[in-house]
């Protein structure tokens, strides 16, 4: 009789499939069947959606999973959660566990390790637990405020719609567009003017430098002239001027004096009258000569006759 019949083969395949499914599900849940993790218990007043196979973290590193959850129906012990932690983990006394829910609704347990390095929690002992509001709690606290703001937001939106429907707003926007266009044109003109100014500035700077050079030359000449004036012997020059003025005064005095020839000529009126009489006589003589030239000039080839 053949042992490996089709029925036996189907049964073996089904058993292997069930075993693989069991281990696969536990693997996906993070539960190790053959692990030597140490069990710890955490007491919560409220587990807020905590489930078996929820990961346990210490300082951001996963050190175990939730193995079992027991509820105390007497209401004295709350909810006891069995945790399988890594065998190498040592939990200081005074540590606690916190349940935290993120925005996506994922729940995890954070193990808050105390700084006590003298005494440690033994496997099988119970650790106190609590719920941390986290982001969900913050959002939940913010919801009433948002609900109170919604009517005001509706009113604000309604007012904005009313304001935007006003034709004056459209006209104002049109005016703003025109002003913006004018500003663009003005900016372009300013850029053109600035370009011309920038092109003119080098020439102006050169002219300014030339003017400064001339001014420096003028100052040098002025300084040289001042030095020459300072070098002049003013006292000697003034002495010579005084002597010249004295000589001029002496000549003037001699001219005004009747003792000199010029003085007599300038001060004696008879000289004037004599000179005037001589001029009149000379004029009369010249008139007579012009009228009777033959009286004064005699010229004859054969001799002259008395007239």
């Amino acid at each position: 009789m053949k042992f490996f019949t089709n029925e036996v083969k189907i049964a073996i395949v089904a058993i292997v499939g069930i075993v693989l499914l069991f281990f696969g599900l536990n693997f996906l849940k993070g539960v190790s069947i053959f692990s030597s993790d140490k069990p710890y218990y955490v007491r919560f007043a409220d587990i807020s959606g905590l489930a078996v196979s929820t990961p346990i973290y210490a300082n951001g590193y996963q050190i175990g999973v939730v193995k079992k959850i027991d509820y105390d129906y007497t209401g004295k012990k709350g909810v006891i959660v069995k945790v399988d932690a890594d065998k190498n983990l040592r939990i200081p006394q005074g540590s606690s566990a916190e349940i935290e829910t993120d925005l996506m609704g994922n729940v995890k347990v954070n193990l808050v390790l105390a700084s006590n390095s003298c005494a440690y929690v033994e496997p099988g002992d119970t650790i106190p637990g609590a719920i941390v509001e986290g982001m969900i709690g913050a959002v939940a606290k913010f919801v009433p405020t948002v609900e109170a703001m919604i009517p005001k937001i509706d009113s604000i939106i309604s007012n904005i719609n009313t304001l935007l429907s006003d034709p004056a707003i459209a006209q104002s926007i049109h005016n703003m567009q025109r002003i913006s266009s004018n500003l663009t044109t003005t900016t372009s003109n300013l850029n053109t003017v600035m370009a011309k100014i920038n092109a003119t500035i080098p020439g102006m700077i050169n002219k300014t430098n030339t003017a400064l050079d001339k001014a420096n030359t003028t100052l040098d000449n002025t300084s040289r002239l001042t030095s020459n004036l300072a070098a002049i012997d003013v006292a000697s020059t003034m002495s010579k001027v005084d002597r010249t003025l004295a000589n001029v005064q002496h000549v003037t005095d001699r001219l005004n004096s009747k003792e000199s020839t010029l003085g007599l000529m300038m001060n004696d009126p008879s000289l004037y009258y004599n000179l005037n009489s001589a001029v009149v006589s000379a004029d009369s003589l010249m008139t007579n000569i012009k009228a009777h030239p033959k009286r004064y000039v005699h010229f004859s080839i054969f001799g002259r006759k008395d007239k």
Side-chain angles (χ1 to χ4, degrees), residues 102-297:
D102 58 18
L103 290 175
M104 302 301 295
N106 299 320
V107 180
K108 66 178 181 179
V109 178
N110 290 324
L111 190 61
V112 181
L113 300 178
S115 58
N116 184 10
S117 60
C118 298
Y120 296 92
V121 178
E122 295 295 333
D125 290 346
T126 301
I127 302 172
I131 295 178
V132 177
E133 294 180 351
M135 294 296 296
I136 294 295
V139 172
K141 289 183 177 179
F142 189 67
V143 167
T145 304
V146 174
E147 291 178 349
M149 290 175 60
I150 287 176
K152 297 181 180 180
I153 294 174
D154 291 338
S155 177
I156 292 172
I157 293 175
S158 177
N159 293 332
I160 291 175
N161 291 331
T162 303
L163 183 63
L164 292 177
S165 63
D166 190 351
I169 297 297
Q171 184 65 30
S172 299
I173 294 174
H174 179 70
N175 293 335
M176 290 179 65
Q177 291 177 348
R178 184 168 54 192
I179 291 171
S180 177
S181 177
N182 293 334
L183 287 176
T184 303
T185 304
T186 303
T187 302
S188 178
N189 294 333
L190 285 175
N191 291 332
T192 304
V193 172
M194 291 302 297
K196 293 181 179 179
I197 291 175
N198 291 331
T200 307
I201 284 175
M204 296 176 62
I205 292 175
N206 293 331
K207 292 181 180 179
T208 302
N209 292 331
T210 303
L212 289 176
D213 293 337
K214 292 181 179 179
N216 291 331
T217 304
T218 303
L219 290 176
D220 293 338
N221 295 332
T222 303
S223 178
R224 190 178 300 109
L225 177 61
T226 304
S227 300
N228 294 334
L229 290 175
I232 295 175
D233 189 356
V234 178
S236 177
T237 303
M238 292 305 296
S239 177
K240 292 179 181 179
V241 171
D242 290 339
R243 287 198 299 271
T244 302
L245 291 176
N247 292 330
V248 172
Q249 183 65 36
H250 179 68
V251 171
T252 303
D253 293 340
R254 292 293 301 275
L255 289 175
N256 291 328
S257 175
K258 295 181 180 181
E259 295 178 357
S260 63
T261 303
L262 291 176
L264 289 173
M265 292 177 66
M266 294 177 64
N267 296 317
D268 189 0
S270 61
L271 178 61
Y272 169 74
Y273 293 118
N274 291 333
L275 289 174
N276 191 26
S277 177
V279 170
V280 171
S281 298
D283 181 65
S284 177
L285 178 61
M286 290 300 296
T287 302
N288 195 10
I289 289 172
K290 290 179 180 180
H292 307 284
K294 295 181 179 181
R295 292 181 181 179
Y296 301 95
V297 178

Side-chain angles (χ1 to χ4, degrees), residues 25-38:
L25 291 175
N26 285 285
F27 175 78
L28 293 176
K29 292 180 180 180
V31 178
S32 179
I33 304 299
F34 303 104
S35 66
S36 59
D37 293 341
K38 297 179 181 179

Side-chain angles (χ1 to χ4, degrees), residues 75-97:
K76 296 180 180 180
K77 295 182 180 181
V79 180
I80 303 299
V81 177
K82 181 182 179 182
V83 176
D84 281 349
D86 191 284
K87 63 180 181 180
N88 296 319
L89 177 67
R90 301 182 66 185
I91 302 176
Q93 289 187 359
S95 300
S96 61

Side-chain angles (χ1 to χ4, degrees), residues 7-18:
E7 291 79 5
V8 173
K9 293 178 180 179
I10 293 173
I12 293 174
V13 171
I15 294 171
V16 172
I18 293 172

